[in-house]
Amino acid sequence: STAPVPPISDSYFGIIQEKLWREPFWLLIAVTFLNKTTGRAAVPVFWELKKRYITPEALSDAPQEELEALIWHLGLQRQRSKRLISMARAWIAAPPKQGVRFRTLHYPSKTDGKEYKTTEPVEVDADDCAGALEIGHIPGCGPYAWDSWRIFCRDVLRCVAHDYNGSEAEIQGFIPEWMRVLPGDKELRACLRWMWLREGWIWNCETGAKRRAMDDEMERA
């Protein structure tokens, strides 16, 4: 990541997902904006879109030409506008819920999801989400959106914790979902390194291996 890393005494790392975890639909829309677009360009447009179309229903009914005019300077405005509308309609038709997952082929590892059919839900709640996620049916989502969902939204949707840090979890020895994620995106990796360091660990974003941080490393952090 090229973004400044805050001290671990701060409450937030500084990525947009931290502001939107209570609004999972808008989190998915935001990461769609950020896909192949710099945050400097995409984030102001996202906030303007959210202000103009307050609900998924409003976005689903938005005239495509209107959306294209709003996002044209980001490029690919026709494809992006169609995707935004289809995401909103899919969310309205089948909002994510606990215990219902859909195939995410080859995620998080190659061959994951081969045992599931494309259109049929997997009606089993599980910590292990290999090959199926609650948002697997939402068009326009890929590994970046799926990683963001797991880190910031999945535990709350599954009613196993009150936030993505595992607060008020009732399960003994509870492990927050973010601790299982190995994202490919550089900003998510930087955020998770910081989150792990707040827990006292040096974390390897490639392998998931970790070691206890030394006193001088914690002092610098």
Side-chain angles (χ1 to χ4, degrees):
S1 172
T2 58
V5 176
I8 58 174
S9 56
D10 281 7
S11 299
Y12 301 100
F13 180 75
I15 59 175
I16 196 169
Q17 290 92 324
E18 293 170 298
K19 296 181 179 181
L20 294 169
W21 65 270
R22 294 181 182 87
E23 301 177 275
F25 170 75
W26 290 112
L27 181 143
L28 295 182
I29 296 296
V31 299
T32 299
F33 269 77
L34 289 168
N35 198 11
K36 298 182 180 180
T37 308
T38 64
R40 184 175 298 174
V43 169
V45 179
F46 164 75
W47 289 120
E48 178 60 29
L49 178 93
K50 187 175 186 293
K51 180 181 177 181
R52 188 176 299 186
Y53 308 103
I54 299 175
T55 64
E57 289 77 12
L59 184 57
S60 72
D61 291 333
Q64 186 177 332
E65 299 79 8
E66 195 173 281
L67 288 176
E68 289 181 16
L70 179 64
I71 66 175
W72 69 270
H73 59 288
L74 300 180
L76 303 174
Q77 60 268 24
R78 179 166 296 181
Q79 296 95 314
R80 287 177 188 262
S81 58
K82 287 181 178 179
R83 184 180 305 137
L84 292 172
I85 293 170
S86 64
M87 289 177 71
R89 290 176 177 173
W91 184 279
I92 294 166
K97 62 181 181 179
Q98 181 183 9
V100 179
R101 295 178 292 144
F102 298 85
R103 186 168 79 158
T104 53
L105 186 62
H106 302 309
Y107 177 86
S109 300
K110 192 172 178 61
T111 75
D112 283 344
K114 280 193 170 183
E115 68 272 30
Y116 304 132
K117 295 182 179 180
T118 304
T119 57
E120 293 184 7
V122 182
E123 296 186 349
V124 178
D125 187 34
D127 291 340
D128 183 8
C129 58
L133 271 176
E134 296 81 6
I135 58 167
H137 63 301
I138 304 294
C141 294
Y144 177 44
W146 296 335
D147 287 338
S148 296
W149 170 266
R150 290 178 62 198
I151 294 168
F152 294 101
C153 300
R154 189 165 190 254
D155 283 344
V156 175
L157 178 86
R158 296 181 61 228
C159 301
V160 295
H162 282 217
D163 64 15
Y164 59 88
N165 280 311
S167 69
E168 300 186 43
E170 297 182 358
I171 301 172
Q172 188 173 6
F174 176 75
I175 299 174
E177 181 70 21
W178 68 261
M179 291 186 172
R180 300 186 179 95
V181 183
L182 289 175
D185 175 75
K186 66 181 185 302
E187 301 296 346
L188 286 181
R189 284 181 168 186
C191 182
L192 287 192
R193 284 196 195 100
W194 178 79
M195 290 171 70
W196 274 112
L197 195 50
R198 294 179 78 198
E199 301 290 328
W201 297 91
I202 301 294
W203 174 75
N204 186 312
C205 65
E206 298 284 349
T207 66
K210 61 185 186 296
R211 63 169 176 81
R212 277 291 179 189
M214 300 175 68
D215 290 344
D216 62 322
E217 291 172 320
M218 293 298 293
E219 185 175 348
R220 288 198 300 272

